[in-house]
């Protein structure tokens, strides 16, 4: 119980406790006997039955959930050789050379990361990926890479899914040893929303490689080379993987008035190549790269730089297959796609259809289409489990050229607007988003800079304020913290600088700075702080703590602490089937849940009683045939 006090302690939750805090309180960490693991699991299920999963607030109309069929594969067959084997054989420089010389087009499958981040608010659970990971790697070894990690998945794993993101990575690596695994990294912001000490980011890169990442797609939310270059260096120094650095695409290069014109992107691409990147990514996070612009951009890049080019887009407008066609014709080396059932709209273009499109061309690649379509069907069925997280967007929209909201943000902005009571004013928010972008000087908008614009737009709409109000009475307004931090320089420097007048209004008396935000942060003393961390969290996880746990804690102290508390209370919930994780169980329903390799629980839910005067409800289960009754606090 005293541990709970500590875990609730504000200083502790912010990650700022010191050695003495622990040393002076030696008995704070004596835990009660941990309850049986099966009991903890049925307590979790009972809690979802009685109170619902807090992540699923309002279920309007639950669709009929059907069993998702896993496409067949031979568990005993060896893995066919793939790109991971080639990287191991060639090393990163020669691998990049090989890629550049390839005639056929290559495909990166984003289903395990960006597709669900952009369609389902990042809620895809590991169990649904792991069911198909091995089979996919065996059936489709010609896939260039699988994007499986980074971006928002790290945070959402811990915060909402109560999973350890590092464990997800390890398990996917084990299931797909032959194909390159790729992650998205927000430059000096790692997988977070703010700058971290340089040595924390470097350690993060080293651990990500150790645990399974091969391709590090690095970007900076303002396309600031000073943030991109050190990350390229960390990948080159600490791994034998590939540093893929991005130009984040915004505006329209065919619009002669855009400050983000072809010269701008070519210069950035050259800077990225000179900084040592093995691959260049065009990261079109909002899906603004129109087909003819793609043809021009890719042709220019292919003639100006010597590293392969990897194109990423979102199909929000619904014309991005045409963009890929033009880019493929212009010589792009790899394109990002998502399996049919999780493709389109704010996600990536359709993997299955794109393979069909390229079949008759010179750059064709052979995929077993029947199998590839089976995987699409699998995701169609699984997608239904996540229906509360759908954005509601039903058709492609040309609005995106106006608001320029990234695909990954769009699926989150709607629930955020709903939680602020602004559901009916969503289009006002998207229109304001565009006005705020102009006010801020037309910036690159991708996490976390996109969040700053989104926060400001929601703040203005919810307070019925206009851009003119900001300019006229801004001194008396207190703006969202993310906006103030942005203008201070905490996310780096935008192309062309900050608009001075707006900066003055937002910052009031605070002084901005122009050097790297990370330079203002104390390096981590890993030896000392890891030891402190282990002392605090030593009991509760049922295993030895690793450096990866410490990194999760340093990146997200509060979120990690809540995850830890959840684990202490309910144990491992990662293997609970998704329909039961979100919606509980029906009386008479039986499920099997794997606890450890070879140890499976058969759980049957019988019924719940009524609340006693303390609000406690009995929930009756059978676990491997034995009745188990757990008491659940009814929170209604
Ligand atoms: C992320 O940073 O999570 C993104 O997907 C940006 O596009
Ligand atoms: Zn994306």
């Amino acid at each position: 119980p005293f541990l709970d006090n500590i875990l609730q302690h504000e200083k502790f939750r912010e990650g700022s406790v010191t050695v003495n805090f622990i040393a002076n309180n030696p008995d704070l960490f004596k835990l009660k006997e941990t309850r049986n693991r099966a009991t903890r699991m049925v307590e979790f299920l009972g809690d979802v039955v009685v109170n619902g999963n807090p992540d699923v607030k309002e279920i309007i109309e639950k669709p009929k959930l059907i069993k998702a069929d896993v496409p067949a594969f031979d568990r005993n067959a060896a893995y066919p050789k793939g790109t991971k084997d080639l990287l191991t054989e060639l090393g990163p420089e020669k691998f990049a050379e090989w890629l550049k010389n390839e005639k056929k087009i290559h495909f990166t499958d984003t289903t395990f990361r960006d597709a669900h981040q952009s369609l389902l608010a990042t809620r895809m659970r590991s169990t649904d990926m792991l069911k198909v990971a091995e089979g996919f790697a065996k059936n489709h070894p010609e896939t260039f890479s699988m994007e499986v990690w980074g971006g928002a998945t790290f945070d959402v794993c811990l915060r909402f899914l109560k999973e350890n993101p590092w464990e997800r990575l390890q398990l996917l690596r084990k299931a797909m040893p032959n194909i390159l695994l790729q992650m998205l990294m927000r430059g000096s912001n790692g997988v977070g929303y703010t700058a971290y000490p340089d040595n924390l980011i470097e350690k993060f890169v080293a651990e990500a490689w150790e645990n399974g990442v091969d391709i590090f797609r690095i970007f900076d939310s303002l396309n600031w080379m000073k943030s991109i270059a050190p990350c390229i260096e960390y990948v080159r120094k600490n791994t034998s993987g590939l540093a893929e650095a991005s130009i984040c695409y915004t505006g329209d290069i065919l619009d002669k008035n855009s400050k983000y014109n072809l010269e701008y992107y070519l210069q950035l691409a050259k800077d990225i190549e000179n900084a040592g990147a093995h691959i260049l990514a065009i990261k079109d996070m909002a899906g603004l790269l129109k087909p003819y612009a793609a043809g021009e951009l890719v042709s220019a890049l292919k003639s100006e730089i010597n590293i392969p080019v990897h194109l990423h887009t979102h199909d929000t407008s619904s014309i991005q297959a045409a963009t890929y066609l033009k880019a493929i014709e212009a010589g792009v080396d790899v394109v990002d796609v998502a399996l049919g059932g999780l493709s389109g709209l704010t996600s990536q273009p359709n993997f299955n259809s794109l393979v069909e499109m390229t079949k008759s061309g010179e750059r064709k690649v052979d995929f077993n289409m029947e199998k590839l379509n089976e995987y699409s069907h699998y995701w169609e069925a699984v997608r239904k489990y996540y229906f509360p997280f759908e954005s509601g967007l039903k058709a492609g929209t040309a609005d995106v050229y106006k608001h320029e909201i990234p695909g990954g943000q769009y699926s989150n902005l709607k629930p955020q607007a709903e939680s602020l009571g602004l559901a009916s004013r969503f289009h006002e928010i998207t229109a304001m988003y565009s006005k705020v972008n102009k006010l801020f000087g037309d910036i690159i908008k991708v996490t976390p800079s996109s969040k700053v614009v989104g926060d400001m737009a929601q703040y203005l709409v919810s307070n019925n304020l206009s851009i003119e109000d900001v300019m006229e009475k801004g001194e008396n307004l207190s703006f969202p913290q993310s906006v103030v931090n942005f203008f201070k320089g905490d996310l780096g420097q935008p192309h062309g600088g900050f608009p001075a007048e707006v900066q003055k209004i937002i910052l009031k008396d605070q002084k901005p700075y122009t050097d790297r935000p990370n330079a203002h942060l104390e390096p981590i003393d890993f030896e000392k702080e890891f030891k402190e961390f282990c002392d605090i969290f030593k009991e509760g996880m049922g295993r030895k703590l690793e450096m990866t746990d410490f990194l999760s804690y340093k990146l997200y102290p509060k979120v990690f602490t809540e995850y830890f508390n959840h684990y202490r209370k309910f144990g491992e919930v990662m293997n609970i089937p998704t329909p039961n994780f979100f919606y509980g169980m029906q009386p008479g329903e039986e499920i099997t849940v794997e606890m450890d390799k070879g140890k499976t629980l058969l759980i049957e839910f019988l019924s719940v009683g009524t609340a006693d005067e303390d609000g406690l409800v009995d929930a009756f289960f059978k676990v491997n045939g034995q009745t188990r009754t757990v008491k659940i606090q009814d929170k209604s």
Side-chain angles (χ1 to χ4, degrees):
F2 210 26
L3 178 61
D4 289 321
N5 290 345
I6 292 213
L7 295 172
Q8 298 310 328
H9 196 285
E10 205 42 50
K11 273 223 155 59
F12 181 80
R13 283 154 60 112
E14 282 160 11
S16 54
V17 289
T18 63
V19 180
N20 295 344
F21 183 66
I22 309 153
N24 293 343
N25 300 282
D27 9 286
L28 293 178
F29 311 108
K30 289 211 180 90
L31 285 184
K32 280 190 290 184
E33 275 288 286
T34 45
R35 279 152 298 132
N36 173 302
R37 288 198 296 163
T39 305
R40 290 195 289 162
M41 185 172 289
V42 292
E43 277 177 359
F44 176 80
L45 288 164
D47 194 44
V48 180
V49 169
V50 174
N51 297 306
N53 184 319
D55 197 23
V56 181
K57 294 201 181 61
E58 197 185 347
I59 299 177
I60 305 132
E61 201 187 326
K62 186 165 140 196
K64 191 167 160 28
L65 304 182
I66 51 167
K67 191 173 163 294
D69 289 326
V70 175
F73 68 98
D74 182 355
R75 272 184 203 281
N76 298 317
Y79 284 88
K81 287 230 178 315
T83 45
K84 170 70 174 170
D85 301 290
L86 199 62
L87 175 66
T88 308
E89 189 187 318
L90 298 178
E93 316 287 340
K94 288 220 173 78
F95 180 90
E97 199 58 40
W98 163 82
L99 178 59
K100 209 177 75 141
N101 293 329
E102 277 281 285
K103 180 159 184 188
K104 66 178 179 227
I105 184 67
H106 284 274
F107 292 100
T108 290
D109 180 5
T110 66
T111 307
F112 290 179
R113 205 286 298 179
D114 205 4
H116 71 90
Q117 178 169 330
S118 302
L119 290 175
L120 304 171
T122 330
R123 292 311 200 281
M124 191 64 69
R125 298 174 66 241
S126 300
T127 178
D128 294 318
M129 303 182 201
L130 287 163
K131 283 195 186 107
V132 284
E134 178 180 345
F136 190 86
K138 287 184 171 171
N139 280 313
H140 301 297
E142 45 291 279
T143 308
F144 175 74
S145 66
M146 306 288 297
E147 196 197 29
V148 298
W149 214 60
T153 61
F154 194 95
D155 175 16
V156 172
C157 259
L158 289 165
R159 190 188 296 266
F160 297 117
L161 307 181
K162 307 300 176 193
E163 292 186 6
N164 174 358
W166 298 96
E167 191 176 3
R168 171 182 293 188
L169 177 59
Q170 290 155 4
L171 292 170
L172 288 172
R173 173 78 285 170
K174 197 155 171 265
M176 297 187 289
N178 55 339
I179 300 180
L180 292 173
L181 299 188
Q182 176 159 342
M183 78 163 288
L184 181 69
M185 197 172 150
R186 303 166 177 160
S188 319
N189 305 317
V191 286
Y193 295 88
T194 179
Y196 295 98
D198 282 321
N199 70 340
L200 181 65
I201 297 295
E202 181 163 10
K203 187 74 148 184
F204 180 85
V205 166
E207 287 291 334
W209 161 256
E210 282 302 319
N211 285 276
V213 171
D214 302 302
I215 305 182
F216 292 80
R217 178 174 290 165
I218 299 156
F219 75 92
D220 174 67
S221 77
L222 298 170
N223 275 344
W224 201 38
M225 246 349 261
K226 285 191 181 166
S227 159
I228 298 172
C231 293
I232 296 176
E233 193 49 37
Y234 301 151
V235 174
R236 294 187 67 96
K237 200 171 117 200
N238 297 283
T239 83
S240 303
L242 294 153
E244 179 182 293
S246 318
I247 52 179
C248 292
Y249 183 85
T250 198
D252 182 358
I253 52 162
L254 301 181
D255 171 359
K256 297 292 172 238
N257 297 321
S258 173
K259 75 186 219 190
Y260 301 103
N261 54 23
L262 189 57
E263 291 68 52
Y264 166 80
Y265 288 115
L266 288 181
Q267 186 56 53
L268 187 57
K270 282 179 197 162
D271 292 346
I272 283 173
E273 181 177 21
N274 291 335
H278 300 107
I279 304 178
L280 176 81
I282 304 170
K283 180 170 164 51
D284 178 23
M285 56 281 171
L288 303 176
L289 182 62
K290 293 173 184 165
Y292 295 112
E296 231 172 87
L297 179 61
V298 172
S299 300
L301 288 171
K302 289 299 289 182
S303 64
E304 297 282 330
I305 60 164
N306 284 310
I307 52 176
V309 179
H310 192 160
L311 176 58
H312 172 84
T313 194
H314 290 252
D315 203 16
T316 315
S317 69
S318 83
I319 63 166
Q320 295 310 91
T323 291
Y324 277 180
L325 179 62
K326 288 307 236 179
I328 291 168
E329 285 173 1
V332 78
D333 298 280
V334 193
V335 291
D336 280 8
V337 287
L339 281 161
L342 276 178
S343 73
L345 298 177
T346 48
S347 172
Q348 276 64 60
N350 188 314
F351 192 169
N352 310 59
S353 309
L354 259 294
V355 172
E356 289 283 0
M357 177 184 87
T358 47
K359 250 185 178 165
S360 46
E362 306 183 312
R363 305 195 60 196
K364 89 180 195 99
V365 55
D366 275 327
F367 272 91
N368 174 341
M369 282 315 298
E370 203 177 313
K371 274 275 173 247
L372 202 65
N373 291 342
E374 283 178 26
Y375 284 100
S376 172
H377 303 157
Y378 170 82
W379 288 109
E380 245 168 59
V382 168
R383 182 171 175 169
K384 290 219 173 70
Y385 305 164
Y386 296 90
F387 73 95
F389 307 106
E390 294 271 359
S391 77
L393 189 68
K394 292 274 194 294
T397 170
D399 283 350
V400 71
Y401 300 116
K402 182 122 187 78
H403 58 59
E404 301 186 336
I405 299 175
Q409 183 176 28
Y410 195 95
S411 74
N412 251 320
L413 204 60
K414 215 150 189 192
Q416 268 173 26
E418 274 159 24
S419 71
L420 293 173
L422 298 173
S424 61
R425 298 175 72 187
F426 186 63
H427 285 295
E428 261 181 81
I429 293 176
T430 60
M432 187 59 89
Y433 188 100
S434 158
K435 289 182 197 161
V436 169
N437 175 46
K438 291 213 179 67
L439 178 75
F440 287 3
D442 187 9
I443 58 169
I444 303 284
K445 295 165 291 302
V446 61
T447 326
S449 61
S450 51
K451 181 177 178 299
V452 176
V453 177
D455 287 352
M456 182 73 164
Q458 296 193 72
Y459 164 78
L460 294 178
V461 171
S462 59
N463 290 293
N464 296 312
L465 292 165
S466 65
I467 300 291
E468 291 69 41
D469 291 331
V470 174
M471 298 310 289
E472 281 158 24
K473 46 184 188 194
E475 305 85 69
N476 305 319
L477 296 172
S478 65
F479 296 103
Q481 195 56 45
S482 64
V483 177
V484 176
N485 294 348
F486 171 69
F487 277 94
K488 230 165 74 188
D490 282 356
L491 300 187
Q493 300 296 306
H495 175 51
F498 290 101
E501 198 185 341
V502 182
Q503 187 174 38
K504 177 102 199 53
I505 291 171
I506 304 270
L507 288 186
K508 306 189 169 70
D509 296 332
Q510 293 196 61
K511 282 266 157 300
Y513 61 93
T514 54
D515 53 344
R516 295 181 65 239
N518 312 63
H520 297 249
L521 302 168
E522 277 295 308
I524 310 277
D525 180 339
F526 279 101
E527 206 176 313
K528 174 169 154 259
E529 290 193 36
F530 181 55
K531 192 175 165 310
E532 287 166 24
F533 167 79
C534 291
D535 282 345
I536 296 167
F537 290 98
K538 68 180 168 231
E539 283 166 85
M541 295 296 285
R543 62 169 172 81
K544 192 169 142 277
L545 290 162
E546 307 287 344
M547 179 55 72
T548 49
D549 298 307
F550 176 63
L551 291 177
S552 300
Y553 174 64
K554 288 311 286 183
L555 290 166
Y556 285 102
K558 195 168 163 189
V559 172
F560 178 84
T561 305
E562 279 161 13
Y563 161 77
F564 176 79
N565 279 332
H566 192 276
Y567 198 99
R568 276 209 309 148
K569 191 162 173 208
F570 294 123
E572 182 64 83
V573 295
M574 187 172 95
N575 295 329
I576 293 175
T578 298
N580 310 104
F581 178 82
F582 284 129
Y583 317 115
M585 294 178 73
Q586 298 300 320
E589 187 179 351
E590 244 181 30
I591 56 169
T592 51
V593 186
E594 189 168 286
M595 297 288 282
D596 298 312
K597 259 267 148 292
K599 183 161 185 245
T600 300
L601 292 182
L602 176 65
I603 300 176
E604 184 186 353
F605 172 53
L606 302 172
S607 62
V608 281
T610 46
D612 65 14
E613 66 268 25
D614 297 325
L616 290 174
V617 177
D618 283 329
F620 303 98
F621 288 86
K622 263 191 184 168
V623 177
N624 291 343
Q626 308 263 321
T627 304
R628 192 90 53 117
T629 308
V630 287
K631 285 207 179 297
I632 307 292
Q633 183 73 49
D634 185 344
K635 296 178 190 135
S636 62

